[in-house]
């Protein structure tokens, strides 16, 4: 039988009524002739509750015990869904990560997959079982301890299973009905996409779109897993949602496919830095060690000074990492590895980006983008580009206006 992987997030399994709704969707796929692997998250709010209990019990907790506690939420969902399917006369059983086994690294709370053997689940399918309900977000280390994969790990689990079992497709059920050209909460002109290339979705996910976890998209692109995003609420069929696929499976795409944003960004400038070989490494090495997620980087034109050439170095990072970044830079200055006059910190900016594989073969995207922002009197602070995206930093108060203006400028409300 062909294998289908279905993944359901926390809101989809929030209570027993929603778990029954999920079971009906799974049964429908079984009736269509599939052997189904279902990856489930913890019931909505349960993971946060478990994390809270751990932190209250032990502020400096043992990461191994943290994983043992936090992974239990998915186990409950898997067991309840298996029971519900059995009540519908669908042969099903639940699987915890160690039973598959989902072999991972030993990096507790941020483990990575090493292998997913297929023998155990396939043997159950051969016995007549039709559904394997697998607890997402978890695995087992070489030492035999439970591990977890970090937030969004159930998406990644689903794609990994689809790759391992050579599934016909991986369906990710969420509380939205697909991938949109931008956030529908910002503009009612946002349009649901029927298809989007893996590379575009990877950029959108990394730039702020929160529909899919970035690692899951990377994995799907690497193993060419057809990945569909659709709503767990209401009816759906094989044409529902948005399909993520290879670029060559999209006959003709618009130059720009979507507008993404990240609301809470900060811009940090090291003013009057020495302009010498190795200065970038001296700056961004300590930032990396401090766990600062640096994004856009701009170095100004070098100027001559009494002590040698100097420049300004600007970078962006999430606003909640500003204190960490500032300390890393001040510590590096105190240690003598870098020198600068002062840090200029702007914690009130947002990043807005346009993304599209069509940008590879079309000129004028930057001009259209900058003209649209200029028309709205929106000043650009930093610009960053890649082959299929252009990102800008702007004042946060203009973020929604910028998204709406760019969506209109590239006519993303129109198909084709």
């Amino acid at each position: 039988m062909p294998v289908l992987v279905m993944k359901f997030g926390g809101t989809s399994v929030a209570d027993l009524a929603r778990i029954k709704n999920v079971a009906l969707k799974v049964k429908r796929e079984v009736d269509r002739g599939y052997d189904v692997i279902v990856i489930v998250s913890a019931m909505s709010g349960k993971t946060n509750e478990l994390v809270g209990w751990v932190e209250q019990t032990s502020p400096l907790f043992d990461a191994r015990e943290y994983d043992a506690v936090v992974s239990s939420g998915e186990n409950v969902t898997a067991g309840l869904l298996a029971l519900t399917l059995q009540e519908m006369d669908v042969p099903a059983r639940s699987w915890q990560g160690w039973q598959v086994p989902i072999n991972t690294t030993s990096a507790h709370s941020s483990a990575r997959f090493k292998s997913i053997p297929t023998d155990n689940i396939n043997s159950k399918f051969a016995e007549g079982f039709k559904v394997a309900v697998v607890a997402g977000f978890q695995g087992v280390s070489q030492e035999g301890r439970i591990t977890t994969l970090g937030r969004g790990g159930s998406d990644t689990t689903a794609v990994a299973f689809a790759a391992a079992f050579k599934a016909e497709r991986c369906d990710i059920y969420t509380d939205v009905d697909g991938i949109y050209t931008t956030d529908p909460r910002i503009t009612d002109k946002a349009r649901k996409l029927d298809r989007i290339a893996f590379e575009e979705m990877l950029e959108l996910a990394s730039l702020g779109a929160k529909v899919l976890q970035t690692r899951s998209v990377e994995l799907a692109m690497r193993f060419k897993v057809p990945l569909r995003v659709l709503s767990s609420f209401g009816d759906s069929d094989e044409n529902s949602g948005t399909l993520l696929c290879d670029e060559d499976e999209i006959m003709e795409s618009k130059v720009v496919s979507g507008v993404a944003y990240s609301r809470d960004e900060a811009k940090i400038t090291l003013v009057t830095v020495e302009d010498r070989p190795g200065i970038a490494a001296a700056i961004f090495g300590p930032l990396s060690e401090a766990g600062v997620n640096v994004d856009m980087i701009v170095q100004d034109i070098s100027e001559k000074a009494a002590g040698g050439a100097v420049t300004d170095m600007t970078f962006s990072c999430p606003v909640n990492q500003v204190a960490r970044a500032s300390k890393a830079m001040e510590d590096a200055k105190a240690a003598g590895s870098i020198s600068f006059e002062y840090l200029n910190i702007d914690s009130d900016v947002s990043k807005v980006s346009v993304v599209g594989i069509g940008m590879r073969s079309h000129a004028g995207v930057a001009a259209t983008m900058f003209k649209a922002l200029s028309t709205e009197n929106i000043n650009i602070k930093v610009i960053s580009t890649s082959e299929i995206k252009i990102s800008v930093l702007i004042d946060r108060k203009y973020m929604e206006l910028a998204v709406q203006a760019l969506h209109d400028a590239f006519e993303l409300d129109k198909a084709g």
Side-chain angles (χ1 to χ4, degrees):
M1 291 292 183
V3 173
L4 180 69
V5 175
M6 305 172 74
K7 182 265 175 178
F8 293 91
T11 55
S12 303
V13 293
D15 53 39
L16 293 180
R18 290 189 177 181
I19 288 175
K20 185 174 182 179
N21 176 58
V22 166
L24 290 169
K25 291 183 181 299
V26 174
K27 183 179 185 302
R28 183 175 60 201
E29 299 299 345
V30 170
D31 292 342
R32 288 174 176 166
Y34 288 105
D35 286 337
V36 181
I37 298 173
V38 185
I39 310 296
V40 292
S41 298
M43 298 165 79
S44 184
K46 181 56 67 176
T47 299
N48 288 337
E49 182 182 45
L50 294 169
V51 170
W53 288 350
V54 170
E55 292 175 342
Q56 289 176 46
T57 303
S58 176
L60 299 175
F61 53 77
D62 181 337
R64 295 167 296 185
E65 301 305 337
Y66 170 94
D67 280 358
V69 173
V70 174
S71 64
S72 65
E74 281 71 17
N75 297 340
V76 172
T77 309
L80 289 173
L81 179 55
L83 286 170
T84 306
L85 286 163
Q86 290 170 12
E87 288 297 307
M88 296 177 178
D89 294 324
V90 177
R93 64 154 284 186
S94 64
W95 297 78
Q96 296 180 16
W98 64 271
Q99 293 173 306
V100 174
I102 303 171
N103 298 310
T104 73
T105 63
S106 301
H108 287 275
S109 79
S110 59
R112 297 271 176 166
F113 293 109
K114 294 180 72 175
S115 66
I116 301 177
T118 60
D119 293 350
N120 287 344
I121 288 179
N122 277 336
S123 68
K124 289 300 178 183
F125 284 152
E127 290 175 16
F129 280 84
K130 301 303 297 179
V131 180
V133 186
V134 180
F137 174 63
Q138 63 178 252
V140 60
S141 69
Q142 188 175 354
E143 296 77 23
R145 295 299 301 255
I146 294 170
T147 57
T148 63
L149 308 174
R151 291 297 180 134
S154 292
D155 283 355
T156 311
T157 304
V159 176
F161 267 80
F165 284 81
K166 295 180 171 55
E168 186 174 296
R169 193 178 65 247
C170 178
D171 287 347
I172 306 287
Y173 285 82
T174 70
D175 52 4
V176 297
D177 61 350
I179 308 299
Y180 280 74
T181 49
T182 195
D183 190 339
R185 294 170 297 181
I186 288 184
T187 173
D188 56 10
K189 294 181 180 179
R191 178 177 55 85
K192 184 174 74 67
L193 298 167
D194 294 326
R195 291 181 174 229
I196 186 170
F198 288 127
E199 198 171 352
E200 290 175 316
M201 189 65 235
L202 192 57
E203 289 283 10
L204 290 171
S206 66
L207 293 168
K210 295 180 172 61
V211 177
L212 282 174
Q213 203 261 359
T214 306
R215 278 171 62 194
S216 68
V217 183
E218 290 174 344
L219 208 59
M221 183 167 65
R222 177 181 172 188
F223 290 101
K224 299 188 182 302
V225 174
L227 185 62
R228 188 171 63 149
V229 178
L230 65 169
S231 174
S232 58
F233 308 109
D235 295 329
S236 58
D237 56 34
E238 58 271 16
N239 297 316
S240 299
T242 301
L243 182 68
L244 279 68
C245 56
D246 273 333
E247 180 180 339
D248 56 13
E249 294 181 51
I250 301 175
M251 295 297 294
E252 188 70 36
S253 63
K254 293 177 75 72
V255 177
V256 169
S257 295
V259 181
Y261 66 88
S262 178
R263 186 183 302 273
D264 297 318
E265 295 288 315
K267 178 173 73 76
I268 301 178
T269 301
L270 281 73
V271 178
T272 316
V273 180
E274 303 170 82
D275 189 5
R276 59 173 173 79
I279 189 62
I283 292 171
F284 295 106
L287 289 170
S288 175
E289 292 171 6
V292 177
N293 184 20
V294 173
D295 182 21
M296 306 166 77
I297 302 172
V298 175
Q299 181 174 336
D300 287 350
I301 296 172
S302 179
E303 295 181 3
K304 292 183 179 179
V310 295
T311 186
D312 293 344
M313 186 77 79
T314 299
F315 62 89
S316 68
C317 69
V319 73
N320 61 4
Q321 296 179 6
V322 167
R324 199 183 306 168
S326 179
K327 184 178 186 304
M329 293 296 89
E330 294 293 353
D331 288 349
K333 182 179 181 180
S337 56
I338 59 174
S339 66
F340 55 88
E341 280 191 32
Y342 61 94
L343 293 176
N344 187 344
I345 300 174
D346 184 353
S347 297
D348 197 26
V349 296
S350 290
K351 178 172 61 180
V352 177
S353 311
V354 295
V355 175
I357 54 176
M359 292 168 63
R360 290 195 180 108
S361 54
H362 289 79
V365 176
T368 301
M369 181 178 188
F370 300 152
K371 181 179 179 181
L373 296 175
S374 173
T375 300
E376 300 294 343
N377 291 316
I378 299 172
N379 185 46
I380 298 171
K381 295 174 177 287
V382 177
I383 302 169
S384 174
T385 65
S386 75
E387 193 177 22
I388 65 167
K389 81 151 193 279
I390 303 173
S391 298
V392 296
L393 280 186
I394 60 173
D395 286 331
R396 189 171 300 146
K397 64 183 178 181
Y398 294 122
M399 187 204 76
E400 293 193 8
L401 177 60
V403 170
Q404 292 165 356
L406 294 173
H407 198 273
D408 289 344
F410 290 102
E411 299 183 330
L412 296 183
D413 56 321
K414 300 175 182 176

